[in-house]
C-alpha cells in the first residue's frame, strides 16, 4: 500500500547496519533493552548531528542460523523533548482539551522541519515521520511509506522506555547531548 505524500521528503540518512559500527560523527546517547536476552529488542538512540536514529537491534535464529537485525527509524534530534510532551497531549481526554473521541492520530506537527504525528495502535502508540521514507536509502522512488515507529504499552511503561526518553529529552533541552 502506498501512502499519499503530503510533504517534500528529506534526503535519507546513511543506513546503519550495526549499532556498534556507526558512521563518522555519530554517537550513542542511550540504549534500553526490552528484557535481558540477545533476542529481546535493544533500543539504541544515536545522535547524528541535528538528527536522531533510533535503532532496534536483536538476534534471531532462523533455520539454525544466528541473524543480527538492525532496524533504523530517523527523526529530528528535537524528538527527544517533543515526543513525551506530545504523547501526553495525545492521551489527554476530550473533556480536558484532548483530541476528539475516537481520534486515532494527531495532527501533523512541524518539529525542526520534519512533520511528525502520534497515533494509536492496538498495542500502544506509533511515532510517524511523514518527511522521511520508511525504507531510507533503500526506498523505491515509485512507492512512499512514512517512517513509523511502534511503541507498545509495556515497552513504554513496564520496561521504562518513556521515562528513559524523558531523561534524554531533558538532556537535549539542557544542551548536554
Amino acid at each position: 500500500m502506498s501512502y499519499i505524500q503530503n510533504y517534500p521528503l528529506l534526503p535519507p540518512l546513511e543506513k546503519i547496519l550495526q549499532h556498534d559500527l556507526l558512521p563518522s560523527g555519530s554517537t550513542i546517547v542511550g540504549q534500553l533493552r526490552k528484557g535481558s536476552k540477545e533476542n529481546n529488542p535493544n533500543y539504541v538512540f544515536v545522535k547524528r548531528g541535528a538528527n536522531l536514529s533510533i535503532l532496534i537491534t536483536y538476534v534471531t535464529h532462523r533455520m539454525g542460523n544466528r541473524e543480527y537485525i538492525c532496524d533504523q527509524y530517523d527523526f529530528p534530534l528535537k524528538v527527544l523533548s517533543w515526543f513525551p510532551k506530545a504523547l501526553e497531549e495525545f492521551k489527554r481526554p476530550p473533556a480536558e482539551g484532548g483530541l476528539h473521541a475516537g481520534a486515532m492520530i494527531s495532527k501533523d506537527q512541524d518539529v525542526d522541519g520534519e512533520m511528525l504525528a502520534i497515533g494509536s495502535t492496538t498495542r500502544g502508540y506509533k511515532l510517524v515521520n511523514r518527511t522521511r521514507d520508511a525504507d531510507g536509502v533503500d526506498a523505491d522512488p515509485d512507492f512512499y511509506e512514512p517512517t513509523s515507529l511502534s511503541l507498545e504499552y509495556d515497552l513504554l511503561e513496564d520496561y521504562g522506555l518513556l521515562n528513559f526518553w524523558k531523561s534524554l529529552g531533558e538532556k537535549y533541552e539542557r544542551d548536554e547531548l
Side-chain angles (χ1 to χ4, degrees):
M1 179 170 119
S2 188
Y3 294 80
I4 296 172
Q5 184 181 332
N6 292 323
Y7 309 104
L9 288 178
L10 293 173
L13 298 178
E14 181 181 344
K15 188 174 185 175
I16 298 174
L17 300 175
Q18 286 188 224
H19 73 282
D20 54 354
L21 295 174
L22 298 176
S24 177
S26 302
T27 56
I28 293 175
V29 296
Q31 57 187 313
L32 183 134
R33 184 175 294 278
K34 184 181 177 183
S36 59
K37 299 177 183 172
E38 71 176 358
N39 66 334
N40 296 131
N42 188 27
Y43 292 76
V44 184
F45 289 65
V46 180
K47 178 182 176 188
R48 305 174 77 181
N51 297 296
L52 178 76
S53 291
I54 299 174
L55 307 177
I56 302 175
T57 68
Y58 58 95
V59 172
T60 186
H61 297 275
R62 294 184 187 173
M63 301 178 78
N65 295 320
R66 183 180 184 273
E67 184 179 351
Y68 173 83
I69 306 295
C70 182
D71 294 326
Q72 177 176 328
Y73 303 86
D74 297 325
F75 301 96
L77 189 59
K78 188 174 183 173
V79 77
L80 290 172
S81 62
W82 176 84
F83 174 72
K85 295 171 190 170
L87 180 60
E88 191 174 301
E89 283 295 312
F90 183 78
K91 293 175 6 181
R92 188 187 322 215
E96 296 176 17
L99 296 173
H100 65 81
M104 296 299 291
I105 195 156
S106 69
K107 290 183 180 177
D108 297 342
Q109 295 182 36
D110 186 325
V111 179
D112 277 358
E114 300 191 37
M115 300 307 290
L116 307 183
I118 294 178
S120 289
T121 69
T122 56
R123 300 172 74 187
Y125 302 99
K126 65 181 175 180
L127 174 57
V128 179
N129 186 343
R130 299 194 193 283
T131 48
R132 294 203 181 267
D133 193 285
D135 289 328
V137 295
D138 298 325
D140 180 335
D142 298 323
F143 179 84
Y144 163 73
E145 181 179 354
T147 294
S148 183
L149 174 63
S150 292
L151 302 163
E152 297 175 359
Y153 298 124
D154 68 331
L155 172 65
L156 290 168
E157 300 299 333
D158 300 339
Y159 288 96
L161 185 66
L162 185 56
N163 285 334
F164 171 74
W165 198 310
K166 285 178 183 177
S167 70
L168 290 177
E170 291 166 1
K171 286 181 182 179
Y172 169 81
E173 288 189 355
R174 293 191 304 264
D175 203 25
E176 294 176 359
L177 293 179

